[in-house]
Amino acid sequence: MGTQYMLFHCVYTIPVAAVLAVFYYPFFTARDICKIVFLNILAVTATIPWASYLIRHHIWTYPPDATINRTLFDIPAEEIAFFVLQTCITSLVYCICTKPLVQPMYLQSDPLRWVRNLGGIVLLALLLSGAACFVSGGRTTYMGLILLWALPVILVQWTLVYPFIVSLPWRATAIPILLPTVYFWLADRSAMAAGFWSIVPETQLNMVFFLITNVMIVFGLVGFDYAFALADYEHLCTGAGPTSRGSVRTALRALVQRTQIQTTVIAELQDAVARLHAKSQSMFVGSALFQGALRIDLIYLYSFCHMIDDLIDEARDEREARHWIAVCRMMLDARTTKQEKSSANGVAHDFKRHLLQRAVNALPVSRMSAQPLYDLLKGFEMDLAFSDQRRPAFPIATEADLDRYAAYVASTVAQLVLDLIHHYHNRAHRYDHEDMARADRVIGQALQFINIARDIHRDAAIGRVYIPTEWLEPAGLTPANLLHNPTSPAAYQLQTKLLDKADVHYLAARDAIERLPPGVREPVRTTVESYVEIGRYLRERHGHTLATEKKMRLPLRRRLKVAWLAML
């Protein structure tokens, strides 16, 4: 009995699996666990007969002092552990690479059948080559055994999920295949050099073995994601289907039935994702912490907010900006009163209006309160008051004005997010919706105060001062002074006062987050803590962030640390 193979695991596989698992642990979802557990069961079950054959025919051999001599069908326990660890390591790399992807947007309405046929022909040719290698014997035996064992599985995987394999970004599948393959190959060479085990020299094809097994693992993971994406698509079209946790039965049924994909639905989702990715990396990454239909609804909500915000900010003048608010209000009326998607009303020639119509059409209004959407528009109208040359004073004159503005532009979005969470995750009534809504509005205000504190200098550049005029007067300042010199020591003191106000709101309502159900509690906590960390960073910088024209961002390492701890 020996411990060499166990030592190999302690050096090469267990540490890597542990590091990946610890890194990804806070971001695990029910779907991730489902994929990895099922795939491990399938991988071990499918590999045991094949590995047993190789060992009994002395293609794989182990020195007597390399293992602890505990076997299953002549396979050492350490080898079975390797099957599990390889599957886990490759699966974790895949989960990390695909975490940001909004997978339903990669569904195809008309998959290219010639791609399926070409791939099938190539795989069949390789399978026949494997049979020929096995029959020939000698140096080609091992190659033949690898191909005969693996290619029927890969052929079935390809036939079922080829549309998703070819439409996903290549990095999402190539990296989880190639990176573990190279690593395991190098580790295997080191182990054989140390005498941990041996393979008949004339049949050594370890790189091929690791490559093809990782292809099977990744294709299996893609198959699960394809099924979940189809189930989410069914929810997009009908509003029915699984919750954000997903239903394996529903997902597999969707995969077998091959749901017909509508191009317009996928196009709307792609537009929303592209807009959010371009306009707000933080919201896009934050949405990835949720899963399933809830994440898609959040993307549509955030996309709408950015769409109307851009139309107002990019308007030539106040009149055009107010026009877009009126048009948006009209479109919302059509959605919220009829509870169905309104048509473009023949205005496709007006490209901007057409985009706004699509953003409004995509809103999940049946799962949200209507009033916060209209209140959000009131917040945009307050922004327009800054450009009104006839104004007697700046629109944020008192602290009450600041509270009202923050409620319009931030508490509204927080309320809408809570409505969606409530729809998917509070069917057992684990928390009181009204109490949670009140706390949510307070937290939304706190986050907006932090936004204002961060952007004092950037707002001044466009003629806006969101700090109440009544806060400026005791310091002998006017809004015009702050517009002229937003980096003064007085501006830093006002920034600190805003952060103090944000802290009061945050501390008053943060405990409510812990009453949310698991699965959404952690992403909500992470989103809030990420904003609060911006406030802490602003305090540490003592006003230095006011001197730069760029939008202040937390250092990447700090953002990752906050997210990792908040997701625990």
Side-chain angles (χ1 to χ4, degrees):
M1 184 175 73
T3 58
Q4 287 180 310
Y5 202 162
M6 187 63 69
L7 179 62
F8 168 82
H9 282 311
C10 293
V11 173
Y12 292 104
T13 58
I14 294 176
V16 173
V19 168
L20 289 171
V22 169
F23 173 77
Y24 193 69
Y25 173 75
F27 308 104
F28 266 114
T29 65
R31 290 182 174 185
D32 293 329
I33 295 172
C34 170
K35 289 187 293 188
I36 294 175
V37 169
F38 270 86
L39 210 58
N40 263 294
I41 294 172
L42 294 173
V44 172
T45 302
T47 307
I48 282 178
W50 182 75
S52 179
Y53 178 89
L54 294 180
I55 292 171
R56 289 175 180 176
H57 288 77
H58 306 290
I59 296 174
W60 285 1
T61 61
Y62 305 87
D65 61 345
T67 69
I68 60 174
N69 293 327
R70 297 290 186 272
T71 62
L72 178 66
F73 301 108
D74 295 324
I75 307 172
E78 296 92 335
E79 188 68 43
I80 296 174
F82 182 83
F83 302 156
V84 174
L85 288 165
Q86 180 188 0
T87 303
C88 288
I89 289 171
T90 302
S91 298
L92 286 167
V93 174
Y94 174 86
C95 288
I96 292 170
C97 290
T98 56
K99 187 67 175 177
L101 300 182
V102 184
Q103 292 173 344
M105 67 179 280
Y106 297 102
L107 296 173
Q108 296 185 14
S109 60
D110 186 22
L112 300 175
R113 296 189 180 278
W114 69 267
V115 174
R116 180 196 63 183
N117 296 337
L118 178 61
I121 291 170
V122 171
L123 291 173
L124 283 173
L126 290 173
L127 183 59
L128 292 175
S129 300
C133 290
F134 179 72
V135 171
S136 299
R139 297 177 61 87
T140 61
T141 300
Y142 190 30
M143 174 65 83
L145 287 169
I146 292 174
L147 296 179
L148 285 173
W149 165 63
L151 284 176
V153 177
I154 295 176
L155 184 59
V156 172
Q157 291 173 323
W158 174 259
T159 303
L160 287 174
V161 301
Y162 81 95
F164 212 51
I165 293 172
V166 298
S167 63
L168 285 173
W170 68 268
R171 293 182 296 275
T173 51
I175 293 176
I177 290 173
L178 298 178
L179 191 60
T181 294
V182 173
Y183 176 77
F184 286 127
W185 176 66
L186 294 174
D188 188 71
R189 286 175 60 89
S190 299
M192 285 195 297
F196 289 4
W197 59 76
S198 62
I199 297 178
V200 179
E202 61 269 19
T203 59
Q204 288 184 9
L205 291 164
N206 294 7
M207 176 68 86
V208 174
F209 169 74
F210 292 125
L211 177 63
I212 207 162
T213 51
N214 283 326
V215 167
M216 286 195 293
I217 293 169
V218 171
F219 277 18
L221 293 166
V222 172
F224 274 100
D225 282 344
Y226 188 30
F228 286 129
L230 287 169
D232 290 340
Y233 170 80
E234 179 182 329
H235 172 84
L236 274 177
C237 295
T238 65
T243 66
S244 60
R245 286 182 178 272
S247 165
V248 176
R249 183 181 301 175
T250 302
L252 293 178
R253 185 182 71 247
L255 178 62
V256 173
Q257 293 177 348
R258 288 296 179 91
T259 306
Q260 186 67 34
I261 306 299
Q262 299 179 32
T263 304
T264 53
V265 175
I266 300 302
E268 285 180 354
L269 180 58
Q270 290 173 341
D271 286 348
V273 171
R275 184 176 301 112
L276 190 59
H277 189 271
K279 297 296 182 179
S280 178
Q281 281 285 334
S282 59
M283 282 189 175
F284 177 76
V285 174
S287 71
L289 301 177
F290 297 89
Q291 57 177 313
L294 174 57
R295 183 190 184 188
I296 295 171
D297 281 353
L298 289 174
I299 287 173
Y300 282 141
L301 172 60
Y302 295 153
S303 173
F304 164 76
C305 294
H306 282 286
M307 181 73 227
I308 184 61
D309 188 40
D310 286 347
L311 287 174
I312 293 170
D313 286 347
E314 295 169 7
R316 293 185 299 270
D317 50 36
E318 181 187 350
R319 180 179 178 181
E320 181 182 343
R322 292 192 181 278
H323 164 76
W324 286 121
I325 292 176
V327 170
C328 185
R329 187 174 281 114
M330 177 190 67
M331 292 177 178
L332 288 175
D333 287 342
R335 287 295 322 275
T336 56
T337 55
K338 298 179 181 179
Q339 292 295 305
E340 61 183 16
K341 293 185 178 182
S342 55
S343 66
N345 297 325
V347 294
H349 63 278
D350 187 334
F351 185 63
K352 289 184 177 180
R353 181 164 180 157
H354 179 63
L355 289 178
L356 177 60
Q357 184 72 70
R358 291 182 66 165
V360 172
N361 284 349
L363 280 173
V365 294
S366 63
R367 298 181 283 280
M368 301 186 306
S369 305
Q371 189 57 46
L373 292 169
Y374 292 99
D375 288 342
L376 180 63
L377 298 183
K378 293 179 182 178
F380 292 133
E381 288 174 332
M382 287 187 71
D383 284 331
L384 294 181
F386 283 103
S387 59
D388 186 355
Q389 301 299 322
R390 299 167 298 176
R391 67 176 186 268
F394 272 65
I396 310 297
T398 66
E399 189 169 349
D401 292 332
L402 174 64
D403 292 338
R404 183 161 55 94
Y405 175 76
Y408 282 157
V409 299
S411 294
T412 50
V413 179
Q415 175 65 57
L416 294 168
V417 170
L418 180 63
D419 285 345
L420 294 174
I421 290 173
H422 183 75
H423 174 80
Y424 291 108
H425 289 274
N426 198 35
R427 296 183 179 182
H429 301 288
R430 299 180 183 180
Y431 61 85
D432 183 89
H433 189 209
E434 291 302 319
D435 287 345
M436 188 65 68
R438 283 191 289 271
D440 209 45
R441 288 191 288 269
V442 172
I443 290 177
Q445 287 180 306
L447 304 190
Q448 184 60 28
F449 298 150
I450 293 172
N451 271 340
I452 294 172
R454 179 192 61 191
D455 295 336
I456 290 174
H457 58 302
R458 299 177 71 246
D459 290 331
I462 57 174
R464 297 179 182 178
V465 176
Y466 291 101
I467 298 174
T469 304
E470 70 178 14
W471 286 11
L472 300 174
E473 292 172 349
L477 298 175
T478 65
N481 296 140
L482 204 60
L483 290 177
H484 178 70
N485 188 10
T487 63
S488 66
Y492 170 65
Q493 295 300 323
L494 294 167
Q495 182 187 67
T496 302
K497 189 170 183 178
L498 277 168
L499 295 176
D500 290 342
K501 184 176 177 65
D503 287 345
V504 170
H505 280 63
Y506 163 69
L507 293 173
R510 68 175 179 179
D511 290 344
I513 297 173
E514 304 308 314
R515 298 198 296 271
L516 291 170
V520 292
R521 177 197 309 138
E522 298 83 3
V524 171
R525 185 198 301 137
T526 300
T527 302
V528 173
E529 288 298 326
S530 297
Y531 270 92
V532 173
E533 191 67 18
I534 292 174
R536 299 187 186 110
Y537 185 71
L538 291 173
R539 291 182 187 276
E540 293 171 11
R541 298 292 292 169
H542 300 290
H544 292 301
T545 56
L546 298 175
T548 176
E549 295 181 359
K550 295 182 179 179
K551 185 176 181 178
M552 192 282 295
R553 297 183 183 276
L554 285 175
L556 177 60
R557 181 181 298 180
R558 188 160 178 168
R559 277 185 285 157
L560 290 175
K561 180 181 178 181
V562 170
W564 192 87
L565 292 174
M567 285 293 293
L568 288 175

